Amino acid sequence: MAYTYYKDNRAYIEALLKTGDCVVVNDEVDWDLEMGAIVRRMCERKSPAAHFKKVKDYPGFEAFGAPIATWRRLAICFGLPPDASIPDIQREYLKRTSGPPIAPRIIDRKNAPCKEIVWTGDDANLLNLPAPMVHDGDGGRYICTWHFVVAKDYDTDFVNWGMYRQMLFDEKTMVGPVLPFSDMGKMLYNKYAPRNLPMPFATVISPDPLSAIASSAPSPIAEAEFTGQLMGEGVELVKCETSDLYVPAHAEIIVEGVILPNLTIEEAPFGEYTGYRTSPRDKRTVYRVKAITMRKNAIMAVSNMGVPTDEGQLLRSFSMALEMERMLRDQGLPISGVYMLPESTHHLVVVGVKPIYANVATQISQLVFGSKFGAWFHMVLVVDDKTDIYNKDAIIHALCTRCHPVTGIRVTQHGFGTPLNPFCSPEERRFSRTPKVVFDCLFPPEWPTSDLPIPVSFNSVYPKDMQERVLEKWRTYGFKD
Amino acid sequence: MAAWDTYIQKDFSALTEDEEWVAVIRDLAPGRGKYRSTHARIRVSKDPKKYPETLWVRLGRGQLIETPCSMQILEYVDVFPKGM
């Protein structure tokens, strides 16, 4: 049975407009910094998304800014009320992704909107797409900020969808980092490059919301099947023009070509998800373009990474936390919940656990740091199952009152990280080394019960009937909340 | 004078002047082609009038040097394999 979902950004924008979660911008906006500046401010203010109807120099194109940068918009992606709570959104995601993978449906190209316009040969010119100059000082126009790259393993049927940033270099060239531990990095550096073979790719720009969510999730299930789980039916795919790759048929723009196996050219700097420009201009992976297909009046999606909160921070935090929760539960740990703060730029994960034995916080940290997604964060904060992990005040209170400064903070010096951590030394960044830390906010279970500090809160030090009486009469006391 | 920019991975004080080197330069002419990058063999001077083109310099994280240099483009360099 299909769940509620939007098969393209056009339907999604309509839904956002109905709830006041999208603004239509009819004034012409400049792709050169103006659109980026608007989207950046929107992210920092948690404003509605923006549907830009006119883009300077690019008649016939539209743009869509900050597609899923708020919890409200994420709730709408799942057909939930926009004010659904974070745990409600988590439950919906876990419900949809707990069944078997759902294979995609292949449709004929004549029914695929992304084939309405086809550019090949010299016509496949990236400069004819409204790629934004996102931040002043960026190394180029980032044509791909809300997108994913489709690539297929050389000698298996494994297909990866992943968000790998891509900078427009010239008419036929994009360039961007492909980290060696990423799924596509393993394909490229372990399979294609040693054989000196170009690797076919297809970049899906402005995909439907659930495909985008799947492509940014660290699930072990292939993203196309994972999208099917999220949709409750197979995502509709269509074959590419120049390779045997398949792409979502309802996406706005598809860029096809090959990744050159043993050539790198300069890319970056770029305003990154950490809220800084950390990685320097450097030589990175080259994508050469063979074809571009798109819908009529294609809508270029634009995400603007920087200080919180953008959709990359929100979605990576959301899905990484839930995949961690799944993994920890599979290990039999009595987890009450896992929440990664988007405001931490997915660097801090909070785990609630029933503290039934000593050192469970260490066990949790070793599991999550050693997992597939361990590179992307370096702080784990473990609290008991009574602490509201979604409440920043409660988290700070637990950190400041339950974490022993000597025995409760445990550091691993040479952790596995990324080159993008602003606090790391240049050498640590170069070799993707990141110190890791766990903040153990659990009172040791070996402490005698009589010595345990007792939390003093409305919920913990009043009898149930007194709590109910106060809650019932709250407004009659004169309080408005 | 046409305007271009480039990124350098060192301090501006160490910029190589009056010697040929291959750089990635970006065209700053307005329009769809703005920020198009190309490899070129160039000569640069911190004297903004010495060579025919204007070259703005940025450091590795995008920091703009406030005064422009001048540049001579000796040739464009195609780094991509033929047929790719």
Side-chain angles (χ1 to χ4, degrees):
Chain A
M1 182 199 72
Y3 297 113
T4 301
Y5 73 91
Y6 303 100
K7 68 164 56 175
D8 59 22
N9 274 330
R10 298 172 189 222
Y12 175 53
I13 288 170
E14 287 302 314
L16 295 179
L17 289 170
K18 282 182 188 156
T19 58
D21 287 281
C22 183
V23 169
V24 176
V25 180
N26 287 307
D27 286 359
E28 181 181 88
V29 296
D30 197 335
W31 57 267
D32 187 6
L33 295 179
E34 184 183 10
M35 195 175 350
I38 295 168
V39 177
R40 181 92 293 279
R41 191 155 193 266
M42 287 158 49
C43 290
E44 292 174 18
R45 295 167 64 87
K46 296 183 169 48
S47 304
H51 184 188
F52 300 104
K53 301 295 280 188
K54 293 178 197 159
V55 182
K56 186 181 175 188
D57 297 327
Y58 293 93
F61 285 93
E62 300 177 9
F64 182 29
I68 318 181
T70 63
W71 290 111
R72 285 179 62 86
R73 300 208 276 283
L74 182 57
I76 292 167
C77 290
F78 288 103
L80 297 172
D83 57 356
S85 68
I86 297 170
D88 283 344
I89 306 171
Q90 288 187 329
R91 273 189 286 276
E92 184 68 19
Y93 176 97
L94 289 171
K95 179 187 83 181
R96 293 189 183 196
T97 56
S98 295
I102 298 178
R105 294 174 287 166
I106 308 303
I107 68 168
D108 192 278
R109 68 192 311 284
K110 69 176 186 294
N111 298 320
C114 71
K115 302 284 190 184
E116 286 172 353
I117 295 171
V118 177
W119 293 344
T120 55
D122 289 344
D123 291 336
N125 180 342
L126 294 166
L127 294 172
N128 289 330
L129 296 176
M133 188 64 177
V134 181
H135 318 95
D136 188 26
D138 283 353
R141 298 166 66 176
Y142 276 81
I143 187 165
C144 299
T145 57
W146 194 241
H147 71 296
F148 55 83
V149 182
V150 180
K152 185 170 176 288
D153 189 65
Y154 177 75
D155 49 17
T156 73
D157 288 332
F158 176 67
V159 174
N160 174 240
W161 295 1
M163 286 192 177
Y164 303 86
R165 78 184 188 211
Q166 292 170 312
M167 185 188 91
L168 192 162
F169 189 85
D170 64 20
E171 295 87 338
K172 289 286 184 190
T173 313
M174 302 187 292
V175 55
V178 179
L179 295 172
F181 58 78
S182 65
D183 287 332
M184 194 167 83
K186 290 170 192 162
M187 294 177 187
L188 177 62
Y189 303 122
N190 295 341
K191 306 280 182 77
Y192 286 88
R195 294 173 170 90
N196 201 28
L197 287 174
M199 184 166 95
F201 78 92
T203 297
V204 180
I205 300 175
S206 201
D208 69 86
L210 294 187
S211 293
I213 290 168
S215 72
S216 66
S219 167
I221 298 168
E223 290 80 6
E225 283 77 12
F226 193 71
T227 303
Q229 286 187 311
L230 292 171
M231 292 178 168
E233 63 182 359
V235 58
E236 291 187 340
L237 303 183
V238 65
K239 189 171 179 294
C240 283
E241 299 293 302
T242 61
S243 70
D244 62 355
L245 297 173
Y246 288 80
V247 291
H250 301 274
E252 294 289 330
I253 301 169
I254 310 294
V255 178
E256 301 179 19
V258 291
I259 297 176
L260 301 187
N262 288 307
L263 175 71
T264 54
I265 58 174
E266 288 182 22
E267 186 258 2
F270 182 57
E272 294 156 348
Y273 70 87
T274 61
Y276 298 86
R277 274 194 196 113
T278 302
S279 55
R281 191 163 176 92
D282 207 345
K283 291 192 169 186
R284 300 203 170 95
T285 300
V286 178
Y287 302 78
R288 292 286 276 177
V289 172
K290 291 181 169 180
I292 298 171
T293 74
M294 72 189 89
R295 299 176 70 144
K296 290 175 184 164
N297 301 110
I299 303 171
M300 167 72 72
V302 178
S303 176
N304 186 324
M305 290 191 244
V307 299
T309 306
D310 61 60
E311 42 275 281
Q313 294 155 351
L314 189 103
L315 290 183
R316 292 282 288 170
S317 299
F318 175 74
S319 57
M320 269 201 282
L322 294 180
E323 294 301 332
M324 270 184 255
E325 180 171 336
R326 219 190 295 264
M327 180 189 74
L328 293 169
R329 286 190 193 283
D330 286 348
Q331 296 285 323
L333 286 160
I335 299 299
S336 57
V338 180
Y339 179 55
M340 187 171 248
L341 282 78
E343 298 83 359
S344 75
T345 65
H346 59 73
H347 285 149
L348 171 64
V349 61
V350 183
V351 181
V353 64
K354 194 172 173 108
I356 52 173
Y357 53 85
N359 297 319
V360 69
T362 299
Q363 183 187 17
I364 288 168
S365 68
Q366 288 173 341
L367 283 166
V368 296
F369 284 144
S371 69
K372 180 181 179 182
F373 20 84
W376 297 102
F377 59 95
H378 62 279
M379 293 180 170
V380 176
L381 194 146
V382 182
V383 296
D384 68 17
D385 54 331
K386 306 284 192 307
T387 302
D388 181 356
I389 60 172
Y390 306 101
N391 181 330
K392 280 182 237 171
D393 290 350
I395 293 168
I396 289 169
H397 182 249
L399 174 65
C400 298
T401 58
R402 301 189 189 199
C403 183
H404 192 288
V406 175
T407 58
I409 301 174
R410 296 188 276 278
V411 175
T412 304
Q413 288 286 348
H414 297 292
F416 168 49
T418 78
L420 305 184
N421 284 318
F423 63 86
C424 284
S425 70
E427 185 180 318
E428 283 174 322
R429 283 187 236 138
R430 178 165 293 278
F431 295 102
S432 293
R433 283 203 303 264
T434 301
K436 307 277 188 178
V437 59
V438 54
F439 299 98
D440 184 346
C441 304
L442 302 172
F443 291 136
E446 64 269 23
W447 284 4
T449 305
S450 58
D451 281 339
L452 272 182
I454 301 299
V456 179
S457 71
F458 177 78
N459 289 329
S460 65
V461 294
Y462 298 96
K464 198 76 181 163
D465 59 345
M466 180 55 67
Q467 290 181 38
E468 287 169 2
R469 174 185 164 85
V470 169
L471 289 176
E472 194 178 307
K473 295 182 69 178
W474 192 249
R475 283 181 169 269
T476 60
Y477 295 143
F479 297 103
K480 304 289 185 204
D481 60 319
Chain B
M1 291 176 93
W4 303 78
D5 73 0
T6 195
Y7 287 75
I8 60 171
Q9 299 295 328
K10 50 194 172 188
D11 287 344
F12 183 60
S13 58
L15 180 73
T16 305
E17 290 190 87
D18 301 315
E19 290 178 21
E20 294 181 19
W21 51 289
V22 174
V24 172
I25 55 174
R26 298 192 309 181
D27 186 351
L28 298 182
R32 290 186 174 193
K34 188 175 180 186
Y35 305 116
R36 179 189 183 278
S37 297
T38 186
H39 290 82
R41 186 177 304 281
I42 61 173
R43 271 197 205 105
V44 175
S45 171
K46 288 179 182 169
D47 175 352
K49 295 185 177 159
K50 184 166 183 179
Y51 294 122
E53 316 270 344
T54 296
L55 182 72
W56 294 90
V57 174
R58 288 183 182 270
L59 305 183
R61 267 80 180 176
Q63 307 96 314
L64 179 68
I65 303 299
E66 290 186 355
T67 52
C69 298
S70 63
M71 170 181 72
Q72 181 181 20
I73 300 174
L74 302 167
E75 64 172 341
Y76 294 106
V77 178
D78 186 359
V79 300
F80 301 112
K82 289 216 180 326
M84 291 291 173

